[in-house]
Amino acid sequence: MAKDFQAPRGFHDILGSDLKKFRRITSTIRELLKRYNYEEIITPVVEFAEVFERSIGEATDIVQKEMFVFTDRKGRRLALRPEGTAGVVRAYIQNRLYALRPYHKLFYEGPMFRYERPQAGRYRQFHQIGVEVFGVAEPHADAELLRLADDILKALGISATLEINSLGCKVCRPAYREALVEYLHVVANHLCDVCMDRKDRNPLRVLDCKVETCQEAVKEAPKMVDFLCDECRYHYARLKEYLSELGVSFRENYNLVRGLDYYTRTVFEAVSDELGVAVIAGGRYDYLVEEFGGPPTPALGFAVGVERLMLLVDEPPKDYELYFVIPFGDVHSYALKVADILRRKGKVVELSYRKGGLRKQLELANKLSADYAVIIGEDEMREGVVSLKDMRTGEQRKLKVEEI
Ligand code: ATP
Ligand code: MG
């Protein structure tokens, strides 16, 4: 095939068994979200680039190197969304949802775009299902959010560890940041090139650099938890109590910072025990709505990476019986009617479009994993019956369609 007609690098088709996994994941999560009474929102795939730059943060990896930015015909800078939260926050304000109710629980599902180096479970177009809660500051909301993340993992049979941390707030983070920068200067000659650059612009990110020398260098770094103000300390302590009371197990990770600037207080990741990478990630962003020009609105949320979960779940078992209707000769109007009646009875029916003899037809029936072949020849049509063949036992008998 001509190179031009391949999907671009990092973009992929989802089909067959993969798509079944994909749908299993999204429908399982949607089912759970219904139980928590989340409401869906669909936001555009494209926003003004600034929506992401200002919220995610100028100094972050996503904004620095991962965004698909382009100008439209009028020269406006637009971007394919790299994540869901910024757009939902923009929509929350633009649609004045804050005026409707004291708080909101929203969820979204759709493709996200990041210019990254593709590898297993990492693409340039990938899919997330995410939730956002607006208007609640108290830690019971954080606890319920983590319960939901835990429910999702359990429902999909995925073993993962919930890692949590607190990043503090406007009051306590600046002093921590200062202490951290000071420390990073001391260990600077052990940092990788990227972290040398990060240590002043985005110092918290150095804490979760994957390079070994950096990990070694930050072992003795000051910890945010030791700098939390009274309110943040209380918030974090209550969250941990609620989680323990709910029986949600978690692990504190003092180096968990997340790659986006907007987080405050609670941050968390569900790290797959099998893959060692995050499959769900999120946290609080108490100032973001205000920074977008909305009223002060504490908020929190998380995003589930669908492709990452696809590496971990099994294809769901087939949960229906397939009837494969095979017409022989000039019986198409009768065959169409038979298929119709069966579908009206709630059966899953495929009318064979294949031409050819019984052997070839049954071969196709097997390929489609049909449970029954409904054989219709001119005899059957005249008698007003069908020959029903059980594909598993091979047993075959004539009966009226209504008797199926
Ligand atoms: P990572 O550290 O793996 O790059 P991230 O911190 O950039 O993840 P988030 O922005 O928090 O990821 O997105 C939430 C989830 O979305 C991640 O935990 C992951 O499962 C998934 N995800 C992120 N980037 C990609 C990608 N390029 N391809 C597929 N899934 C992704
Ligand atoms: Mg990333």
Side-chain angles (χ1 to χ4, degrees):
M1 195 190 284
K3 187 150 191 299
D4 288 352
F5 296 116
Q6 307 253 330
R9 189 166 139 80
F11 290 78
H12 64 303
D13 305 306
I14 308 173
L15 66 162
S17 164
D18 279 344
L19 188 53
K20 290 190 181 130
K21 293 179 187 174
F22 188 104
R23 294 291 179 220
R24 178 181 166 203
I25 292 162
T26 54
S27 60
T28 302
I29 295 174
R30 279 173 174 272
E31 202 58 43
L32 276 170
L33 291 174
K34 203 184 288 171
R35 252 186 263 170
Y36 281 77
N37 205 35
Y38 276 83
E39 205 179 316
E40 185 167 11
I41 181 168
I42 301 178
T43 67
V45 167
V46 170
E47 301 270 357
F48 286 120
E50 251 193 283
V51 169
F52 305 114
E53 289 162 352
R54 297 227 332 245
S55 58
I56 297 167
E58 296 283 356
T60 59
D61 288 351
I62 293 180
V63 169
Q64 291 264 306
K65 15 176 228 217
E66 296 176 3
M67 275 224 291
F68 283 91
V69 181
F70 59 98
T71 48
D72 70 4
R73 286 164 194 269
K74 293 239 166 82
R76 289 172 290 226
R77 286 180 69 249
L78 303 175
L80 297 181
R81 62 178 182 202
E83 55 101 57
T85 301
V88 175
V89 169
R90 197 265 313 130
Y92 174 81
I93 297 164
Q94 187 174 337
N95 295 284
R96 298 170 53 82
L97 294 186
Y98 49 83
L100 295 180
R101 283 207 293 269
Y103 68 90
H104 281 268
K105 304 206 318 258
L106 301 174
F107 81 94
Y108 59 85
E109 177 191 337
M112 305 294 158
F113 304 84
R114 294 186 197 176
Y115 198 89
E116 301 202 69
R117 213 157 60 82
Q119 43 187 283
R122 192 183 289 285
Y123 301 96
R124 290 181 176 172
Q125 175 176 341
F126 61 99
H127 296 77
Q128 289 184 337
I129 294 198
V131 304
E132 313 291 354
V133 181
F134 293 101
V136 200
E138 292 86 349
H140 57 239
D142 307 50
E144 197 183 27
L145 192 76
L146 280 152
R147 164 89 276 172
L148 170 59
D150 194 50
D151 273 349
I152 289 173
L153 295 165
K154 291 216 168 80
L156 292 169
I158 286 163
S159 111
T161 305
L162 278 178
E163 299 191 347
I164 65 168
N165 192 18
S166 175
L167 295 183
C169 66
K170 272 182 185 157
V171 175
C172 50
R173 183 133 29 117
Y176 171 66
R177 195 190 143 106
E178 222 168 277
L180 181 62
V181 171
E182 201 171 299
Y183 172 87
L184 293 176
H185 275 267
V186 175
V187 299
N189 50 354
H190 299 288
L191 299 178
C192 72
D193 291 348
V194 185
C195 285
M196 274 307 277
D197 188 46
R198 275 179 185 147
K199 71 181 189 312
D200 298 294
R201 291 190 309 130
N202 197 3
L204 270 69
R205 273 296 267 168
V206 178
L207 295 177
D208 78 349
C209 179
K210 302 289 176 281
V211 176
E212 221 170 285
T213 51
C214 294
Q215 287 190 353
E216 199 57 40
V218 300
K219 274 215 174 117
E220 304 292 310
K223 297 177 179 52
M224 184 67 231
V225 282
D226 297 328
F227 283 74
L228 295 177
C229 61
D230 288 348
E231 281 183 34
C232 285
R233 190 156 358 100
Y234 174 77
H235 194 278
Y236 189 47
R238 281 307 271 158
L239 167 61
K240 289 187 285 182
E241 278 168 29
Y242 288 138
L243 290 176
S244 301
E245 284 162 15
L246 274 172
V248 175
S249 38
F250 62 89
R251 198 174 75 87
E252 288 182 77
N253 175 355
Y254 301 129
N255 286 342
L256 181 66
V257 298
R258 312 279 307 110
L260 300 78
D261 278 0
Y262 53 60
Y263 286 115
T264 52
R265 292 192 171 162
T266 313
V267 287
F268 72 93
E269 282 184 354
V271 180
S272 154
D273 295 330
E274 192 180 315
L275 299 176
V277 297
V279 290
I280 303 180
R284 255 194 188 276
Y285 49 94
D286 286 344
Y287 311 126
L288 189 58
V289 174
E290 204 176 344
E291 278 164 22
F292 265 78
T297 309
L300 63 162
F302 65 66
V304 183
V306 180
E307 279 82 355
R308 294 277 169 85
L309 291 182
M310 281 164 68
L311 300 172
L312 297 165
V313 303
D314 296 323
E315 184 182 321
K318 181 158 158 269
D319 61 353
Y320 59 90
E321 287 185 324
L322 175 61
Y323 289 76
F324 190 60
V325 177
I326 307 171
F328 284 112
D330 188 14
V331 297
H332 291 296
S333 63
Y334 182 58
L336 282 164
K337 218 173 290 162
V338 167
D340 226 34
I341 293 168
L342 289 176
R343 289 196 187 109
R344 254 168 249 276
K345 290 172 74 145
K347 309 285 187 207
V348 181
V349 181
E350 170 142 342
L351 180 56
S352 176
Y353 291 156
R354 192 181 198 321
K355 298 192 178 89
L358 187 60
R359 197 176 54 80
K360 285 189 168 164
Q361 295 283 2
L362 292 178
E363 241 173 53
L364 179 55
N366 275 324
K367 222 176 234 176
L368 294 168
S369 310
D371 299 278
Y372 298 97
V374 183
I375 300 163
I376 298 171
E378 276 158 19
D379 287 351
E380 278 86 356
M381 182 170 76
R382 226 175 0 249
E383 294 167 35
V385 296
V386 300
S387 292
L388 185 71
K389 184 183 177 73
D390 185 320
M391 293 298 290
R392 215 162 8 103
T393 62
E395 185 196 330
Q396 184 173 324
R397 63 199 173 106
K398 275 191 183 173
L399 72 177
K400 290 211 161 66
V401 193
E402 290 75 18
E403 293 168 351
I404 292 181

